[in-house]
Amino acid sequence: MGVVAAVAVLSVPSFAQIGGAQGPIAIAGARLIDGTGAPPIDDSVVVVEGDRIRNAGPRARVQIPRGATVVEATGKFLLPGLVDAHCHINQPPEDMKRYWVAQLRWGVTTMRSAGNDKPETVPLFRQTRDRVFLAPRAYTAGQGFNVSGPYPGAPTFKPKTPDEARANVQNLKSQHVDFLKIWMTNPMFPPDVISAIVDEAKKQDIPVISHVTDVKSLRQLADQGVTDFLHTPTDVPVTPELIAYAKSRKLSFAPTLANIESRWFYYEHPEILNMPMLQDALYPRGRQMLADAARKAETLGAADLAQRKARLRDVYPFIKAMSEAGVRIVTGTDCGAEASQITPFGHATHRELQMYAEAGMPPLTAIRAATLDAARVITRSEDPDYGAIRVGKAADLLLLDADPIADINNTIKINRVMRAGTWVP
Ligand SMILES: [Zn+2]
């Protein structure tokens, strides 16, 4: 034990250092919430072998293999690892690895970095998927396209002409990014530049994701085939017409509420802020901002705080209506965003799904939004390799001590996290 702890403190452990399972692992007795939205299964057995789920179901139907290590989980709750479709992690490589471990300890086993990633860090993302070191499965949109930001000095592309835009997309292709990100924020790119980015991305076979907060930009991109949106249009209330449009085009939204709520949430919840796991998941400047008593007093005493909270809840009808209509709402938080500093890795993803439940999504649907549906959006596949506790899928698991259906806030009562068949130390 001493050796394992020392390794974990000194550097980011590799999978080999932690030591993979010697044989199968059987997690027995937990209430199983498989991520698909199906009713939970009481007294379940989930068998993990290597990096895969070999079997899962009620105890009566699942045989525990001879020689399996049995993890007694009666009274606990087993979910797929969480997926965050909207993060940022523009940090020095060694720091990225530390934040990834912090995120993993919160049960987030997949993350997508949506822009501001420098070319030299792009290979690290692939390494997370090859399991060169312990981290969530991570994807990157590389630098992304933003006219003036999203913060001073961000390594984004700022093309002035369609030709320049196409050259930038080709550059991203040569970097082997997983996605391409367009910020539809003011000041906007001219329409012909946007069209060139989207068209060249299609030619180069790079999926596009986009930040949108107005209906006009949403339609501009969706009419060109973009489906994967971060944030939501907030310039007008949601209408039946917009719902029908989103449904017909199979759009998805990562509402990204946690980024807004984090401006006051952690000041109001010192019991969460003071958790070492939360502190580890913040950048040093964010930690400082949240420890600043004057800043806290100013934030919580601000005359417009109630109004800001109400504005955040204004997004709830969009989330509820779209979700009920079958439009995919998936977890995305802006965790790790430089402009925010105080949207932590890991916990933010829990707040996001908890707010979907507050918005009126049934808990099982909110959990599906944070697991299988987010995996579907990221992979562009209805049957992704992860995101659900199903036979043959990746063994990315989150074991809870309390029932998230009875109280969605219980998703943070974390017992253990497994990534690709390995328990996270
Ligand atoms: Zn973002």
Side-chain angles (χ1 to χ4, degrees):
M1 276 311 284
V3 172
V4 170
V7 166
V9 169
L10 291 175
S11 65
V12 174
S14 69
F15 276 82
Q17 278 172 313
I18 300 157
Q22 305 303 309
I25 299 172
I27 304 161
R31 190 171 204 216
L32 172 62
I33 298 166
D34 72 3
T36 68
I41 296 169
D42 285 319
D43 195 21
S44 68
V45 172
V46 172
V47 178
V48 172
E49 212 176 326
D51 63 350
R52 298 278 128 188
I53 295 163
R54 287 300 166 211
N55 209 343
R59 193 190 288 264
R61 291 222 305 268
V62 176
Q63 213 191 340
I64 296 179
R66 276 170 62 99
T69 304
V70 177
V71 174
E72 178 47 58
T74 301
K76 303 195 191 311
F77 302 81
L78 190 63
L79 281 63
L82 305 183
V83 177
D84 197 317
H86 185 187
C87 298
H88 298 277
I89 188 162
N90 175 16
Q91 298 294 309
E94 285 314 306
D95 293 348
M96 287 170 69
K97 291 180 182 178
R98 276 196 299 112
Y99 293 120
W100 269 328
V101 171
Q103 188 173 29
L104 202 48
R105 290 195 170 124
W106 278 102
V108 178
T109 51
T110 301
M111 66 90 82
R112 180 169 67 176
S113 182
N116 313 322
D117 287 319
K118 297 185 194 83
E120 58 269 30
T121 64
V122 169
L124 286 178
F125 289 85
R126 188 152 307 258
Q127 287 172 17
T128 67
R129 277 126 64 193
D130 292 342
R131 285 185 269 131
V132 174
F133 48 85
L134 182 69
R137 175 188 296 97
Y139 301 91
T140 178
Q143 289 156 270
F145 292 85
N146 190 315
V147 171
S148 65
Y151 58 92
T156 49
F157 284 124
K158 302 161 175 63
K160 297 263 188 304
T161 65
D163 283 349
E164 203 186 328
R166 287 183 190 277
N168 293 153
V169 174
Q170 289 157 17
N171 180 324
L172 287 167
K173 180 70 180 181
S174 70
Q175 292 181 35
H176 305 291
V177 300
D178 304 297
F179 294 89
L180 180 156
K181 163 81 176 282
I182 305 171
W183 275 267
M184 299 298 273
T185 47
N186 284 315
M188 300 264 182
F189 285 108
D192 62 344
V193 168
I194 293 293
S195 297
I197 296 170
V198 174
D199 183 63
E200 190 63 29
K202 239 178 262 172
K203 280 189 188 144
Q204 302 292 339
D205 198 25
I206 311 174
V208 174
I209 60 181
S210 180
H211 170 130
V212 285
T213 53
D214 69 283
V215 170
K216 184 166 168 271
S217 297
L218 175 73
R219 284 180 175 267
Q220 182 187 348
L221 285 173
D223 284 347
Q224 295 175 64
V226 176
T227 58
D228 189 341
F229 293 98
L230 313 179
H231 306 277
T232 56
T234 49
D235 54 335
V236 288
V238 61
T239 58
E241 188 207 0
L242 186 63
I243 294 168
Y245 177 81
K247 203 170 153 63
S248 71
R249 305 216 165 229
K250 296 190 161 51
L251 307 188
S252 66
F253 296 91
T256 314
L257 306 176
N259 178 35
I260 300 168
E261 194 203 39
S262 67
R263 291 165 204 170
W264 60 82
F265 180 86
Y266 296 100
Y267 290 132
E268 289 184 333
H269 293 86
E271 77 287 0
I272 293 174
L273 177 63
N274 293 332
M275 292 168 74
M277 251 173 70
L278 196 288
Q279 291 286 313
D280 288 348
L282 286 163
Y283 299 149
R285 191 153 70 83
R287 271 203 297 269
Q288 246 170 35
M289 286 161 71
L290 289 171
D292 183 336
R295 199 176 181 281
K296 175 177 179 174
E298 192 189 329
T299 302
L300 297 185
D304 67 344
L305 180 60
Q307 211 183 343
R308 289 164 71 197
K309 288 182 176 177
R311 264 206 308 274
L312 176 62
R313 287 193 299 271
D314 280 348
V315 185
Y316 284 4
F318 179 97
I319 290 171
K320 184 168 191 282
M322 286 289 182
S323 174
E324 282 175 355
V327 175
R328 242 161 229 164
I329 299 289
V330 301
T331 37
T333 59
D334 251 332
C335 69
E338 291 76 359
S340 155
Q341 292 286 325
I342 55 173
T343 309
F345 293 102
H347 183 265
T349 316
H350 291 267
R351 269 313 291 158
E352 190 77 21
L353 91 96
Q354 290 163 5
M355 281 189 272
Y356 297 167
E358 287 169 21
M361 258 194 215
L364 284 174
T365 309
I367 290 167
R368 189 182 66 203
T371 55
L372 181 58
D373 279 354
R376 284 167 164 162
V377 166
I378 288 179
T379 60
R380 265 70 173 160
S381 162
E382 283 307 293
D383 186 27
D385 190 46
Y386 58 92
I389 301 179
R390 286 283 166 94
V391 175
K393 300 300 177 192
D396 290 354
L397 304 173
L398 171 58
L399 189 62
L400 301 178
D401 284 326
D403 186 359
I405 307 298
D407 178 357
I408 197 69
N409 295 308
N410 284 338
T411 62
I412 68 165
K413 307 256 169 80
I414 296 169
N415 183 277
R416 293 179 95 172
V417 177
M418 178 180 276
R419 163 82 175 102
T422 298
W423 291 113
V424 175

